[in-house]
Amino acid sequence: MDRSIYSERRNRLRELLRDIRTEAGLRQVDLAQRLDQPQSFVSKYEAGERRLDIVELEQVCIACGVSLASFVSRFEP
């Protein structure tokens, strides 16, 4: 198991997180406001400097207008 934060699957996760934000028409700062977090929160998980737990991931999905289930189905190969 590759524990690197830059593994292919982690890169895919980061790309998908960025995709759902941009598809929702949100800038990092807009999403951060919806999450009641600083903009650096969004920047760090999109850059791979921070990991999200499942509850945080669900909150990001909701703020972007997608369900956690649809996010996971897009992530799965």
Side-chain angles (χ1 to χ4, degrees), residues 4-66:
S4 168
I5 63 170
Y6 300 108
S7 72
E8 185 177 325
R9 301 242 332 134
R10 292 199 193 284
N11 287 339
R12 174 69 187 121
L13 178 61
R14 290 184 6 235
E15 289 172 6
L16 185 52
L17 285 164
R18 188 173 45 252
D19 288 349
I20 66 166
R21 175 180 57 78
T22 58
E23 289 166 6
L26 300 171
R27 299 171 300 161
Q28 286 184 349
V29 68
D30 301 324
L31 178 55
Q33 287 175 337
R34 289 184 180 194
L35 297 170
D36 197 27
Q37 294 285 343
Q39 180 270 333
S40 61
F41 174 81
V42 177
S43 175
K44 286 181 180 180
Y45 74 69
E46 285 188 1
E49 297 174 23
R50 183 188 194 291
R51 291 185 184 179
L52 297 175
D53 66 27
I54 191 73
V55 174
E56 292 169 328
L57 177 59
E58 181 183 41
Q59 291 170 342
V60 169
C61 288
I62 291 168
C64 291
V66 300

